[in-house]
Amino acid sequence: MSIDTDSAEPQGLGKLADLKSESVVETKPEPQIDAQGRSYATGKRKNAIARVWIKRGQGKITVNGRDQATYFARPVLRMMIGQPFNAADRDTQFDVVCTVKGGGLSGQAGAVRHGISKALILFEPELRGVLKKGGFLTRDSRVVERKKYGRAKARRSFQFSKR
């Protein structure tokens, strides 16, 4: 029962050399655009969920059937929504239609921003590096801590009284 190792070893190494010589062709991701010329993505922040559709246009943003200026009255929230377009130098090239549920206005604006960033990547995959570097693709996972029993809030105790 002797095993001939000399004949088995070159064959194994030869197969290894063949595997190394094969070239791997990387394909670029293709845009995911539907029949109406839109890309769809979902963005989330705190308890807010935004469904976002983007398509080529003049830069009009509609949130829950209303213009962004009326829905998000604070300029900070409107600036937050426009950040992905500013980072990608696509300020007035896309129209955005989105529906948002849950949370407050700040969380909803964050959810819309996250959804716009994801939809931009699906529309133009080469923008991924710019948006990733800006931190727009990362879902902000911070949520409100739950209230504990024996506490006034999540961590706040009731006022102490010696007597």
Side-chain angles (χ1 to χ4, degrees):
M1 287 181 87
S2 68
I3 300 174
D4 188 18
T5 57
D6 294 334
S7 64
E9 198 171 20
Q11 182 183 12
L13 292 176
K15 286 183 179 179
L16 185 63
D18 291 341
L19 288 175
K20 190 175 182 183
S21 65
E22 291 180 18
S23 63
V24 178
V25 178
E26 292 188 24
T27 59
K28 293 182 180 178
E30 294 196 18
Q32 295 179 14
I33 302 170
D34 65 5
Q36 286 87 24
R38 304 175 300 182
S39 284
Y40 169 77
T42 304
K44 296 181 180 181
R45 168 83 166 90
K46 292 186 176 180
N47 284 334
I49 300 172
R51 301 185 310 155
V52 179
W53 291 267
I54 67 167
K55 64 178 182 177
R56 295 268 183 211
Q58 286 78 38
K60 186 175 186 220
I61 299 176
T62 308
V63 182
N64 288 350
R66 292 189 280 178
D67 187 47
Q68 69 160 344
T70 57
Y71 195 85
F72 295 114
R74 295 197 319 230
V76 174
L77 300 178
R78 289 196 301 269
M79 182 224 26
M80 219 169 122
I81 291 173
Q83 284 176 338
F85 293 122
N86 293 336
D89 292 328
R90 305 283 193 273
D91 291 333
T92 58
Q93 295 181 16
F94 290 99
D95 285 344
V96 178
V97 176
C98 61
T99 58
V100 191
K101 294 194 263 196
L105 285 177
S106 178
Q108 288 184 351
V112 171
R113 180 178 84 167
H114 186 229
I116 287 173
S117 303
K118 286 170 63 176
L120 267 174
I121 297 245
L122 294 176
F123 204 94
E124 293 185 35
E126 61 272 6
L127 295 177
R128 181 173 175 80
V130 175
L131 294 175
K132 183 78 173 167
K133 187 178 176 186
F136 301 120
L137 298 179
T138 306
R139 191 244 200 252
D140 191 353
S141 60
R142 297 176 294 169
V143 292
V144 177
E145 191 174 349
R146 77 171 190 88
K147 183 195 177 301
K148 278 67 164 200
Y149 63 89
R151 298 277 176 167
K153 297 187 345 185
R155 298 186 180 200
R156 166 116 166 68
S157 311
F158 295 109
Q159 183 175 350
F160 176 74
S161 173
K162 196 168 190 177
R163 290 184 184 84

